[in-house]
Amino acid sequence: MEISRRQFLSLSASAGAMLMTISMPSLGRRVKKDADQGQNNWSVYLHINPDNSIVIESPVQEQGQHMKTTGAMMIAEELDADWSLVSCIAAKTYLKKTENGIGYRYADMNTGGSHAVRRNWQVLREAGASARQLLISAAAKKWRCSESELTTGKSFVYRKSTGQKLPYGKLAATAGTLELPNKALKFKDRSEYTIFGQNITTVDIDEIVTGQPLFGLDMEMPDMVYAVIERCPYFHGDIKSYNDKKALAVPGVIKTVKVDKVIGEDGIKEIAAGIAVLAENYWAATQGRKALEIQWQQGPWSEESSESLMADFEKFCMAEEGGETLLKTGDLTQGFNDSVQVFDQCYQVPLLAHACMEPFNAIAHITDKKGGGKQAKIITGHQFPTRVASSAAQYTGIDPLDVEVIPTRMGGGFGRRYYNDFVIEAALLAKETPRPVKLVWTREDEMTQDYFGQSTFSRLKAGVDKQGKLIAWHHRQGQIEGSMREQCFPYQLIDNFRVDSYQQKAGTPTGAWRGPGHFQFAFATESMIDEVAHALSQDPLAYRLALMGKAKAYPYRGYGASEIDSGRMAKCYQAAADLANWQQKRPEGVGLGIASHFTFGSYAAFVVEVDSREKAGMKITGIWGAIDCGLPLNPNHIRNQMEGGFIDGLNASIYNDAKVSGGRVVNSNFDQQPWIRMADTPALLEVAIIENDYPPTGVGEPPTAPAAAALANAIFAATGKRQRKLPISMEA
């Protein structure tokens, strides 16, 4: 919907002080619609107080990717604000009905796919630039001068001819009465940036380190009851019978509720069958759960196991034909016929658990609405608040616009908090009592009821000519239904290229896992390139740089970008290698491995150093990474995510292995599913950030993908032994 320029602005008051509030329900005239985004709406709320302090409401969900800070930085930079005067708070969720269901009245509040910065770069800067223009207009009106005389800086408007200055706080009320001029907005030149490129601290770091209530698990409501659920452990299983007499006898237990399973149209479970226990406190709820007597009915996937799935994938890969051909260029048969040497190897990745540090939780409360009907309030940390509202509405029969969603900071998401099972369960239980219900998952719930990252079996054949150049490449991959990232390199770098995919329908629920599909694809491709380089007695770095060839941007049809650039990838390889002193000779038994990958518009490369000389086992002794994520907005946060993302990738390489047997997950906590510890990571972890003027892209997921290949390649360099199956053994 087109709006007038006057509608951009509204006045609001707080404790008697006039504030300038800028809200943008639509910027469709100026913002090119992003096909990934699905909508181009953004709302940002900017309050400039009379004392010159500034409050920015950040609507994008915060799950550790620092968007609450970075989004505010984008506004404040173009506002030409003094960052020391800025404070940030989370915005409310404003919903509206759309043709496709429920959307946002103002902002796209979702987060996932490393898109928050990339999608909002233009509109957030427009918000800041629009406010700055209005403040200039207000100053020109007050001084009765031309706007061309005026400049801004550090939350002041300056008049060059007289040396006068006015703080934004004294102009805000007037600015709020003006219309935005009908002219193109002026953005700051990079040389004028005062906030971008600075090491800005996370805006709520003090609250985090002092344990202030920020996360969903911290939240409470008056007269709240607690709930836990004993769920069927079998995929698509059900309740055969149950006895809750002992559970109801536990002091504090209020009631039990049978929860029926729901299987979605895609065949993946929405919620598992189970028995919920509602109690006055969490302890009573858990004790009541332990006292339940339940007999489970196994589901239709009772024979499914990790081994049976991998065997199906392997059977497909070892055949020469079959499956769906996703990419095909050149003449693959002729390419292999022309090859003087052909390499043929297989790589395996197991199911990957999320294990978010904050287990899932949600508070749901259903009350009577004035004038009749029902309304609901949901408090939770979720990557897509619209999905919270739509699911709660669907399972309670309440109009989604009568569902108030109060988002909280998430203790990790990684794609898992895109799914709605814990929200649906909380909403269903809220129908059973007039009191607010706080549903809490245990660690066992979180690990056994996951939507896992896909397990994959990949077979790669590569052919080289007399000069050692790759001229043929055949990638066959079997997996549970999900993403495969075939558009990434080495596609378009090798003349004869083909990718075949086999997608197996399974009972094991799978879904988005930190850069879905990229980790699995990078492990296979970067390991194979390394194998070829070593077999040809060529330096693995030099071989990769030669493969990248002359810097060139190629079309990219995958999610997150429209092109993929070999020159930008090559710079990441080189930067990571330079940090690691790649050419420096290491002692025997110490080796370097390198790998890189393109994920959702960003390029990341890593070098890992492994020391195999200790009898206790191999040890990672150094990590060096480089990233090209376009214009670096906040180096502090970029380094933070590079370190955390790569360590999460190492965890997936060494430990993460969700095991399925008899149609159920069998490793349900960290005693059965070990997780990476500080002792597993080196003190030496350095990051280089590539400087350029490309629009900024995401950082949360790109560093995860290269981890397994970089580690496996380092182990080969140190020991001469290839690791083609995850999890990698670190035994000497």
Side-chain angles (χ1 to χ4, degrees):
M1 179 183 71
E2 190 75 11
I3 63 170
S4 71
R5 294 183 179 274
R6 183 67 188 88
Q7 285 177 287
F8 273 163
L9 306 177
S10 64
L11 286 176
S12 61
S14 175
M18 296 303 294
L19 311 177
M20 183 178 71
T21 303
I22 298 179
S23 60
M24 282 148 283
S26 175
L27 288 173
R29 295 190 307 279
R30 297 194 187 126
V31 183
K32 182 179 179 182
K33 189 169 183 179
D34 183 338
D36 286 342
Q37 190 172 356
Q39 65 177 41
N40 54 19
N41 295 338
W42 179 273
S43 168
V44 68
Y45 305 95
L46 173 63
H47 308 279
I48 302 179
N49 300 314
D51 65 359
N52 220 25
S53 63
I54 297 170
V55 179
I56 296 176
E57 299 184 25
S58 179
V60 179
Q61 302 311 289
E62 179 61 72
Q63 59 174 333
Q65 83 280 37
H66 309 295
M67 189 58 197
K68 186 176 180 181
T69 304
T70 306
M73 288 173 60
M74 288 191 272
I75 300 158
E77 182 67 84
E78 290 298 341
L79 179 63
D80 224 357
D82 182 342
W83 182 254
S84 69
L85 301 177
V86 175
S87 59
C88 306
I89 60 175
K92 288 183 63 178
T93 306
Y94 297 97
L95 302 176
K96 69 175 182 179
K97 289 186 178 178
T98 67
E99 293 180 0
N100 299 320
I102 295 299
Y104 299 111
R105 194 188 312 169
Y106 307 121
D108 178 358
M109 301 181 69
N110 301 334
T111 186
S114 297
H115 75 227
V117 167
R118 171 169 49 84
R119 290 184 178 180
N120 297 313
W121 167 243
Q122 181 69 13
V123 288
L124 286 181
R125 290 189 305 138
E126 285 202 7
S130 298
R132 176 163 49 91
Q133 174 59 57
L134 288 165
L135 291 162
I136 289 173
S137 297
K141 183 179 179 69
K142 186 174 184 65
W143 283 324
R144 298 182 180 179
C145 67
S146 169
E147 292 183 4
S148 62
E149 285 189 52
L150 308 181
T151 60
T152 59
K154 293 288 184 179
S155 296
F156 281 85
V157 178
Y158 296 90
R159 187 178 183 184
K160 290 177 284 187
S161 61
T162 64
Q164 293 171 285
K165 66 178 182 179
L166 280 170
Y168 288 174
K170 291 190 179 299
L171 295 168
T174 300
T177 67
L178 303 178
E179 300 232 355
L180 196 64
N182 189 18
K183 63 179 182 181
L185 288 171
K186 182 181 178 181
F187 294 105
K188 295 171 70 174
D189 184 78
R190 182 172 181 175
S191 63
E192 301 173 304
Y193 289 159
T194 59
I195 298 174
F196 292 156
Q198 302 303 309
N199 289 306
I200 305 295
T201 303
T202 301
V203 294
D204 47 11
I205 190 66
D206 290 344
E207 289 86 351
I208 294 172
V209 298
T210 57
Q212 301 302 307
L214 288 171
F215 301 91
L217 210 54
D218 300 324
M219 300 299 114
E220 295 182 347
M221 288 183 68
D223 198 32
M224 186 175 71
V225 301
Y226 288 80
V228 295
I229 302 176
E230 182 74 6
R231 298 171 185 82
C232 181
Y234 299 101
F235 304 144
H236 296 198
D238 218 328
I239 301 167
K240 184 184 294 184
S241 65
Y242 75 97
N243 186 330
D244 62 0
K245 185 175 180 180
K246 293 179 181 178
L248 292 171
V250 173
V253 169
I254 300 169
K255 66 186 299 186
T256 65
V257 177
K258 183 174 180 288
V259 178
D260 295 323
K261 71 175 179 181
V262 178
I263 307 300
E265 294 180 1
D266 56 2
I268 299 176
K269 60 108 176 175
E270 286 270 317
I271 55 174
I275 305 297
V277 178
L278 276 62
E280 296 292 347
N281 55 70
Y282 180 68
W283 173 256
T286 57
Q287 295 309 298
R289 173 178 173 171
K290 290 178 181 178
L292 289 168
E293 297 175 351
I294 307 175
Q295 286 190 315
W296 301 111
Q297 175 68 52
Q298 292 188 11
W301 305 97
S302 59
E303 300 300 317
E304 188 165 289
S305 68
S306 300
E307 292 76 16
S308 66
L309 288 168
M310 199 62 74
D312 286 344
F313 305 155
E314 182 177 5
K315 182 179 179 181
F316 160 77
C317 288
M318 301 316 292
E320 296 298 327
E321 297 293 336
E324 180 184 3
T325 298
L326 303 180
L327 292 174
K328 185 177 181 181
T329 60
D331 187 331
L332 190 66
T333 300
Q334 189 61 49
F336 281 121
N337 288 340
D338 292 341
S339 299
V340 298
Q341 192 171 357
V342 175
F343 304 87
D344 190 342
Q345 298 295 350
C346 298
Y347 306 91
Q348 298 181 48
V349 177
L351 288 168
L352 301 173
H354 289 84
C356 302
M357 287 298 99
E358 179 200 18
F360 306 125
N361 58 86
I363 298 175
H365 190 205
I366 297 175
T367 56
D368 293 327
K369 183 181 175 183
K370 289 183 180 180
K374 297 287 185 180
Q375 59 188 3
K377 178 183 290 186
I378 308 290
I379 304 174
T380 191
H382 196 282
Q383 293 176 233
F384 283 65
T386 46
R387 288 174 55 80
V388 173
S390 60
S391 288
Q394 177 185 350
Y395 285 88
T396 61
I398 295 173
D399 188 309
L401 295 186
D402 290 327
V403 178
E404 180 186 6
V405 180
I406 301 177
T408 68
R409 187 183 181 98
M410 291 167 269
F414 318 121
R416 179 58 176 90
R417 278 186 162 92
Y418 166 82
Y419 300 96
N420 300 330
D421 43 359
F422 58 100
V423 173
I424 295 169
E425 290 172 341
L428 289 172
L429 296 180
K431 294 172 65 177
E432 301 294 327
T433 174
R435 299 166 63 182
V437 176
K438 182 174 185 177
L439 172 69
V440 178
W441 285 38
T442 65
R443 176 60 62 200
E444 288 80 4
D445 298 334
E446 201 276 346
M447 281 192 165
T448 59
Q449 300 291 329
D450 203 353
Y451 291 86
F452 302 93
Q454 285 85 2
S455 57
T456 60
F457 188 103
S458 302
R459 180 188 179 193
L460 275 64
K461 290 178 65 178
V464 298
D465 63 13
K466 293 180 180 179
Q467 288 73 43
K469 179 183 177 182
L470 284 163
I471 60 173
W473 186 278
H474 191 190
H475 187 146
R476 288 175 66 77
Q477 182 165 302
Q479 64 180 67
I480 299 175
E481 292 176 319
S483 301
M484 184 178 177
R485 301 301 177 177
E486 72 283 351
Q487 291 282 330
C488 294
F489 291 144
Y491 174 54
Q492 302 185 104
L493 302 177
I494 301 171
D495 291 337
N496 307 294
F497 193 93
R498 178 170 154 184
V499 176
D500 297 330
S501 172
Y502 167 68
Q503 301 269 334
Q504 167 76 301
K505 188 174 181 62
T508 304
T510 57
W513 183 92
R514 198 159 191 169
H518 283 285
F519 177 82
Q520 296 89 334
F521 190 82
F523 173 54
T525 56
E526 283 286 310
S527 292
M528 185 58 153
I529 292 170
D530 207 73
E531 295 211 37
V532 174
H534 279 284
L536 299 175
S537 299
Q538 296 196 30
D539 176 77
L541 169 63
Y543 194 75
R544 285 171 167 83
L545 295 177
L547 177 62
M548 292 298 114
K550 186 178 179 180
K552 180 180 177 180
Y554 298 87
Y556 183 82
R557 297 189 298 276
Y559 167 84
S562 59
E563 66 178 32
I564 180 171
D565 192 312
S566 63
R568 296 176 71 180
M569 183 75 88
K571 285 183 179 179
C572 284
Y573 277 128
Q574 190 65 62
D578 289 345
L579 273 184
N581 293 315
W582 179 266
Q583 301 302 335
Q584 178 183 317
K585 184 175 177 59
R586 262 65 177 181
E588 188 170 345
V590 178
L592 296 181
I594 191 168
S596 181
H597 195 65
F598 173 80
T599 306
F600 301 156
S602 294
Y603 306 76
F606 279 87
V607 174
V608 171
E609 181 182 74
V610 166
D611 189 337
S612 65
R613 296 173 296 178
E614 297 294 329
K615 291 183 179 180
M618 291 181 288
K619 190 168 184 64
I620 299 170
T621 49
I623 300 170
W624 301 269
I627 187 165
D628 178 347
C629 55
L631 176 68
L633 300 186
N634 188 340
N636 179 42
H637 290 162
I638 294 171
R639 287 189 295 268
N640 181 299
Q641 292 193 79
M642 282 286 281
E643 293 168 2
F646 191 75
I647 289 172
D648 197 16
L650 286 180
N651 178 69
S653 308
I654 304 170
Y655 294 110
N656 200 338
D657 182 10
K659 295 184 182 296
V660 172
S661 179
R664 61 184 293 180
V665 178
V666 295
N667 44 351
S668 61
N669 209 321
F670 293 129
D671 61 326
Q672 300 166 316
Q673 166 61 86
W675 221 244
I676 196 164
R677 297 172 181 266
M678 291 180 69
D680 299 314
T681 61
L684 179 58
L685 203 171
E686 297 180 354
V687 172
I689 301 170
I690 306 295
E691 292 275 348
N692 59 50
D693 291 323
Y694 289 101
T697 47
V699 188
E701 292 164 297
T704 304
L711 176 59
N713 295 339
I715 290 173
F716 177 80
T719 67
K721 298 177 182 178
R722 273 289 165 195
Q723 301 273 352
R724 303 187 181 97
K725 180 179 179 181
L726 302 187
I728 289 171
S729 170
M730 297 297 288
E731 294 182 2

